[in-house]
Amino acid sequence: MRDYMHLAIAEKDGARSYAAATTHLVEEARLRHNTSPTATVALGRALTAAVLMSGLLKVGQRVALKWEGTGPLGKIIVEADAKGRARGYVGNPDVDLPLIQGEPDVAGAIGGAGLLTVVRDLLLPELAQGVVHLVSSDISGDLAYFLETSDQVPSAVEIGVKLNEDGSVAEAGGILIQPFPPYDPAIIGRLKERLQEMPPIVTLLGGGQKPEAILDEVFTGIQHTLLSKYPVRFECNCSREQTMALLASLGRDEIEEILNNEGQAIINCQFCHEEYTFDRDDLETILAAMAE
Ligand code: ZN
């Protein structure tokens, strides 16, 4: 298993925690979107946030997160499902800012003002949506704020993405800690302090620590049980069939125009950059299907 997320619960103290290694997932996103170092860290943190949020879902449910700030990066959109499949993109993947004290300037790239929107498809008639103002524009601070104010669950979040000299991803991962209902904030206060005392998650992962060992460290001195673990990966659910249906939805006139002018249609998936080419035969097949 390359990247995975592990869950642990401290039943007596009333808390659960997810720890995820997302290094390969974030590297896949970097390669697909050809992101600059700043954009890689921002998108990688957002994808890791989506993975952590996917731990709270049930089978078949999905979560989407959108960071929309005033910075040069444009919006960041990420999604994940209960099976740990995540995908996402950033508006301007080539925007790169100088480091600030050796750290990527994610907050500057996202921008100081803006919104974080979280949409959950919980398989109910209506989508569940929550919106908060960006408080730190660094992804993890915004996610923690969302969970505390919109979901009203005090939460500890730490997310990290560390790059190699050549801009590839060295380590990426995250931790999410939440209390069980009735949400006693005291345990989260203690665990937040614990997280602050610990080395950053990317340092732990870089030192060869696995998510389960990181959870053991988070819950040092607290009785806890390591539960399920599942793989997480960058995976888009786009397909040639779906893209063809999208093309067909443009209508007969539009497709005839493409056929007469370009002779082919090339459609690029925003989320994964997969390119689908529909040649003359394909376009004629679509038109023939419409005539039926
Ligand atoms: Zn795709």
Side-chain angles (χ1 to χ4, degrees), residues 32 87 234-239 242-243 268-276:
R32 283 187 173 271
R87 63 177 192 168
F234 190 101
E235 192 180 312
C236 188
N237 58 6
C238 68
S239 67
Q242 193 190 43
T243 311
N268 210 299
C269 175
Q270 225 171 358
F271 279 97
C272 69
H273 251 272
E274 194 71 39
E275 199 173 82
Y276 296 97

Side-chain angles (χ1 to χ4, degrees), residues 21-37:
T22 56
T23 307
H24 298 280
L25 189 163
V26 175
E27 175 65 3
E28 171 95 24
R30 180 186 79 89
L31 293 171
R32 283 187 173 271
H33 293 289
N34 195 23
T35 42
S36 75

Side-chain angles (χ1 to χ4, degrees), residues 40-101:
T40 303
V41 174
L43 178 60
R45 286 187 195 169
L47 282 164
T48 304
V51 164
L52 292 173
M53 290 289 279
S54 80
L56 309 173
L57 301 173
K58 296 193 173 70
V59 179
Q61 298 180 341
R62 303 181 57 80
V63 61
L65 299 97
K66 178 172 72 176
W67 271 263
E68 221 169 351
T70 50
L73 212 50
K75 61 187 170 194
I76 304 174
I77 296 187
V78 291
E79 294 183 2
D81 67 10
K83 286 190 169 168
R85 294 177 292 200
R87 63 177 192 168
Y89 65 92
V90 51
N92 299 310
D94 45 3
V95 163
D96 202 22
L97 299 184
L99 298 177
I100 292 184
Q101 291 171 338

